[in-house]
Amino acid sequence: MAAYVYDKLDSSRKQIRICTIHPGAFEDPVKCSLSTVLLDDNPEYETLSYAWGASVVDHTVLVDGSVLKVTRSLHDALRYLRPRKQPFGAVDGPPFEGDATGVIWADAICINQADLDERSSQVCLMGDIYRRGARLHVWIGTVEEIREGLRQEHIDTEMDALDLVTPELIFEFNMFLLSHEPPRSRPAVLSSAALSGDVDADVMGAMEILKIFTEDKHVPQLPFFNSLSGDTDLELYKPWYVGLAMLLGILTQPWWKRVWAVQEVLLSTSTSTQATLLHVSHFKISLASCNSVRAYFHQHLLGCCVDWYPFVMGSNALLHRLNEASGFLNSLKNLSRRYENGTFDMTVAYHSLNSREATVPHDYIYGLRALMANSLSSTLKVDYRQSASSLYIEATRAIFRAHNSLEYIDVAVGVDADNTNHLPSWCIEWSQHRKYNDLPYYGEGLFSAAPGHLHPFHAYEVSNTLLIEALAQGTIISSNSPDQTTAGDPVHAVLEWIESIGQHQMIKDTDMILRVLMRDWHIGTDFRFRRLSPQYMELLRKWRDFTRHSNRQLNTIKSILRDIDSRMRRPQRLFLTSHGLLGVGPTTLKKGDCLFVAKGSESPLLLRPVHGSAIEGGRQRNLPTYHFVGRCYVHGIMDGEAVTADTGWRTICLS
């Protein structure tokens, strides 16, 4: 049978293809037809979101009688989504409830993946495609795939092999119950379907638990936990943990990590009146109900019902899955709020990439493009022929330009050896989420090393360079070993290091060292970044007093001092400059690195001299050239002390 050949689309007319899935029995080959429509004619269709999975395209779909190769994930989704000639029988399972979709838009079928120009033009339409779809269907995977994923983490949902609940836990649980209220008669723990021993009892249990969580009741009021009577029969307890394991397995499948999933969900739910449906084999779950899991755990199990937490969760084997599921659900909720209030910009896009994955490196940006403000999305033209590195450079410049600031340079690749895309040091590696260098985020206004000076953009920069205006503040003459701050008295360790390099006359002030070690910030009671006040400095002195007396145990002091201790004892790279300044920066810094105050940066920058030149004003000119090492805290220049009225700013080049 011949391979399917796509007709050309006219991108200027907003043409798209939609896929009609033909009815079929479960074991029948998947057959469909493609038709070309104008998006502005408002065609009727539903959209499909799924994880591509393995990039091997070894499954066959018949499109208008011709063969189209697709991934297993898409093939499974079409197989379960298509209208059926007959309902599921006893072998296949329950019927699909009669509302399977017939006309969908799915990227791997409706876009000619081999045509880079078409891919680029269709991605530009992606926002409208998902906004105009009648409903979003999310393919999570088959029940068998989820069970296999759980087994790989030693979580087996087969009840006779389950090790999520132990006799010791049950005994402790019953003692806890008896101490709270008298025992009661025991009804069924979950419904008969979840207890029946049916092949899908774990999925039925998961869906029941999800329904229970949506009722927003305290744990003692839940049908399971309000009925136990001190019975130690393990079989009574297992259905809860089996169902919970499967629920968390569903909520941690690869789809939740997709970069594209964020855009597809937010665009669809913002316009569609129908619920987004998650599909697990022939089971369906509304996306809205999944948020009840996040809300329940945060409001009840980490709040008013925290005493019940170990019994609700059972074995620690589920904790990893719970944290992962809660993180992704939280992320979707927060990003939805950003999109709705119009503040979803490229900086939000970057932070949303944490732990998310894409098959093509371009999609770490293109996969969120339709959510961004119009000015930013129009700045980034979609072009899959462009290299990923040039796209990342373009996107990084767009962030700097949008804020007139260099603050987000803190997550640039710097001098990291793991620079797989060979990016310049000042560029953000969008496919590898990096954490800030323990300095307050841009916009907090805590520091102002160059007050009133925005970053000037140079139209004549070449693609791999960034020109900035800066003031030199000396070079690093020495740095300590990061592990010197992890034990004993970190302040004493710093003083010993300073004395060992013969600079003890320069740095004597222990309060200065405390400020440097804390980078002169803490989180206030309002959960905002705050500078270290005199009262907080007194707490730091008290903490140091405890650390210098070995007979005093840290667990006997207030939690705030324990928090200070955990911050102080991280590996920290302190440095001393030729101008006598003490600072702390990234662990990649080294002797000879140069310190600068730069326009558009609230914090000083550490730069490493390299040989090179730049184009300035349309002509080749030798400029001092550096690699970006990192932002840093330097005592004495964080509030504009280095900038005066007659300051002469110097143009330098970052490569």
Side-chain angles (χ1 to χ4, degrees):
M1 200 173 292
Y4 182 76
V5 178
Y6 285 93
D7 293 330
K8 284 285 186 180
L9 292 177
D10 186 347
S11 59
S12 66
R13 299 176 61 204
K14 287 185 146 181
Q15 283 188 337
I16 65 169
R17 301 184 187 94
I18 53 177
C19 174
T20 301
I21 316 173
H22 299 170
F26 184 73
E27 296 298 336
D28 288 347
V30 177
K31 299 179 181 180
C32 59
S33 299
L34 285 179
S35 53
T36 300
V37 296
L38 297 178
L39 195 53
D40 287 341
D41 287 345
N42 295 318
E44 294 185 3
Y45 63 92
E46 298 178 338
T47 52
L48 175 64
S49 177
Y50 64 102
W52 277 42
S55 57
V56 180
V57 285
D58 56 356
H59 284 62
T60 298
V61 172
L62 297 179
V63 181
D64 296 321
S66 299
V67 171
L68 181 67
K69 292 293 186 179
V70 298
T71 63
R72 174 187 171 182
S73 176
L74 178 56
H75 184 269
D76 287 345
L78 297 174
R79 195 180 199 184
Y80 278 96
L81 280 169
R82 67 181 167 183
R84 300 192 178 282
K85 289 181 179 177
Q86 59 189 27
F88 278 101
V91 175
D92 292 324
F96 200 76
E97 301 180 13
D99 65 346
T101 185
V103 182
I104 66 164
W105 186 92
D107 58 355
I109 286 185
C110 296
I111 299 176
N112 181 0
Q113 299 296 317
D115 186 336
L116 293 181
D117 292 331
E118 180 176 306
R119 279 172 59 188
S120 300
S121 63
Q122 290 287 290
V123 166
C124 291
L125 299 176
M126 207 80 84
D128 287 335
I129 290 171
Y130 278 93
R131 287 189 193 97
R132 299 185 187 190
R135 169 183 275 178
L136 175 65
H137 294 271
V138 175
W139 176 250
I140 296 296
T142 64
V143 171
E144 293 73 23
E145 288 171 336
I146 296 171
R147 288 178 184 144
E148 178 57 31
L150 289 169
R151 277 193 289 268
Q152 290 178 5
E153 294 188 26
H154 309 291
I155 303 173
D156 200 327
T157 61
E158 295 179 12
M159 292 178 60
D160 59 349
L162 187 66
D163 191 26
L164 295 177
V165 58
T166 64
E168 292 77 16
L169 177 66
I170 297 306
F171 176 79
E172 186 179 348
F173 190 6
N174 281 294
M175 292 301 99
F176 176 81
L177 288 172
L178 291 171
S179 69
H180 276 67
E181 49 188 294
R184 286 157 289 184
S185 59
R186 182 184 64 192
V189 173
L190 295 173
S191 72
S192 57
L195 292 168
S196 64
D198 183 271
V199 66
D200 288 328
D202 51 357
V203 188
M204 300 299 292
M207 297 181 75
E208 277 202 53
I209 292 173
L210 189 61
K211 181 180 178 182
I212 287 170
F213 285 157
T214 62
E215 296 174 358
D216 191 27
K217 294 179 178 178
H218 296 297
V219 172
Q221 297 172 323
L222 298 183
F224 179 90
F225 294 97
N226 75 352
S227 60
L228 300 177
S229 59
D231 199 311
T232 57
D233 181 4
L234 290 183
E235 293 302 315
L236 172 67
Y237 296 83
K238 284 182 178 179
W240 173 269
Y241 300 110
V242 168
L244 186 60
M246 173 54 71
L247 176 59
L248 294 176
I250 291 170
L251 297 178
T252 50
Q253 285 302 289
W255 177 82
W256 298 92
K257 298 182 181 181
R258 288 183 68 236
V259 169
W260 285 99
V262 176
Q263 176 172 288
E264 291 160 359
V265 167
L266 297 191
L267 293 176
S268 300
T269 54
S270 68
T271 55
S272 176
T273 58
Q274 300 188 60
T276 294
L277 289 180
L278 309 183
H279 297 265
V280 179
S281 291
H282 52 269
F283 297 97
K284 296 191 293 296
I285 304 169
S286 76
L287 178 63
S289 68
C290 294
N291 280 321
S292 66
V293 177
R294 176 197 59 79
Y296 194 88
F297 278 95
H298 282 268
Q299 181 177 340
H300 289 280
L301 288 181
L302 299 179
C304 54
C305 302
V306 67
D307 289 344
W308 292 79
Y309 183 86
F311 310 117
V312 173
M313 287 307 302
S315 164
N316 287 335
L318 297 181
L319 289 178
H320 170 71
R321 289 273 178 172
L322 169 63
N323 291 333
E324 189 177 340
S326 183
F328 289 132
L329 291 169
N330 264 331
S331 173
L332 275 179
K333 182 177 178 64
N334 294 334
L335 294 173
S336 176
R337 189 182 303 115
R338 286 281 201 167
Y339 176 62
E340 289 169 2
N341 63 25
T343 59
F344 198 112
D345 60 14
M346 291 198 66
T347 55
V348 175
Y350 175 76
H351 291 301
S352 71
L353 294 174
N354 188 14
S355 301
R356 296 196 179 275
E357 299 170 356
T359 305
V360 180
H362 301 65
D363 289 344
Y364 285 97
I365 293 174
Y366 295 159
L368 296 165
R369 179 180 177 274
L371 296 173
M372 299 179 201
N374 290 334
S375 59
L376 286 175
S377 59
S378 61
T379 299
L380 298 173
K381 303 299 182 184
V382 179
D383 181 5
Y384 280 98
R385 295 185 182 279
Q386 180 183 22
S387 68
S389 58
S390 62
L391 174 62
Y392 289 0
I393 290 170
E394 186 181 335
T396 303
R397 287 194 198 280
I399 282 190
F400 293 163
R401 188 172 291 110
H403 295 278
N404 282 319
S405 167
L406 293 174
E407 287 307 302
Y408 288 99
I409 199 172
D410 200 31
V411 291
V413 295
V415 290
D416 194 337
D418 186 20
N419 186 357
T420 54
N421 283 313
H422 308 291
L423 298 168
S425 63
W426 54 269
C427 183
I428 296 172
E429 167 59 275
W430 291 79
S431 63
Q432 297 177 13
H433 192 271
R434 296 166 191 263
K435 295 182 178 179
Y436 282 88
N437 181 32
D438 199 34
L439 285 169
Y441 304 145
Y442 165 74
E444 292 291 337
L446 232 61
F447 305 120
S448 184
H453 293 280
L454 301 178
H455 172 57
F457 284 92
H458 298 267
Y460 43 81
E461 291 167 328
V462 294
S463 62
N464 65 340
T465 64
L466 180 72
L467 302 186
I468 67 173
E469 295 187 13
L471 299 173
Q473 300 296 303
T475 60
I476 293 178
I477 60 172
S478 180
S479 63
N480 74 329
S481 172
D483 58 11
Q484 286 180 310
T485 60
T486 61
D489 175 8
V491 175
H492 181 68
V494 172
L495 288 170
E496 282 189 329
W497 158 61
I498 292 172
E499 185 171 0
S500 71
I501 60 174
Q503 301 294 330
H504 55 282
Q505 297 300 323
M506 189 180 296
I507 307 292
K508 295 181 179 179
D509 187 352
T510 57
D511 275 7
M512 179 201 298
I513 296 173
L514 286 169
R515 284 188 182 275
V516 171
L517 288 168
M518 292 290 287
R519 291 164 170 80
D520 202 7
W521 68 265
H522 72 103
I523 300 294
T525 55
D526 57 355
F527 301 102
R528 298 286 301 273
F529 288 101
R530 300 293 180 200
R531 295 288 284 269
L532 301 185
S533 64
Q535 294 81 2
Y536 201 91
M537 287 301 300
E538 186 58 37
L539 282 173
L540 292 178
R541 297 184 199 103
K542 185 179 295 186
W543 164 82
R544 190 177 180 226
D545 182 52
F546 269 87
T547 62
R548 296 167 72 190
H549 293 80
S550 58
N551 61 329
R552 300 190 182 186
Q553 298 298 315
L554 199 61
N555 59 12
T556 66
I557 65 176
K558 294 180 179 179
S559 60
I560 189 170
L561 297 188
R562 290 197 293 273
D563 292 341
I564 290 172
D565 190 75
S566 65
R567 278 194 66 194
M568 285 287 196
R569 296 195 184 285
R570 292 164 304 172
Q572 302 195 62
R573 176 62 63 86
L574 275 70
F575 61 87
L576 198 63
T577 75
S578 55
H579 289 190
L581 298 172
L582 180 66
V584 58
T587 56
T588 50
L589 68 83
K590 66 181 183 180
K591 184 178 179 180
D593 287 345
C594 300
L595 178 66
F596 286 91
V597 168
K599 288 184 179 181
S601 179
E602 295 176 353
S603 305
L605 306 180
L606 285 174
L607 307 177
R608 185 163 298 164
V610 293
H611 296 293
S613 61
I615 295 177
E616 184 182 26
R619 68 182 189 280
Q620 190 81 15
R621 176 188 170 190
N622 288 327
L623 289 175
T625 304
Y626 301 85
H627 284 165
F628 172 72
V629 178
R631 288 199 306 160
C632 57
Y633 173 87
V634 181
H635 191 77
I637 61 170
M638 300 302 292
D639 298 301
E641 295 92 336
V643 181
T644 62
D646 57 350
T647 293
W649 296 91
R650 185 181 185 189
T651 301
I652 61 176
C653 175
L654 300 185
S655 66

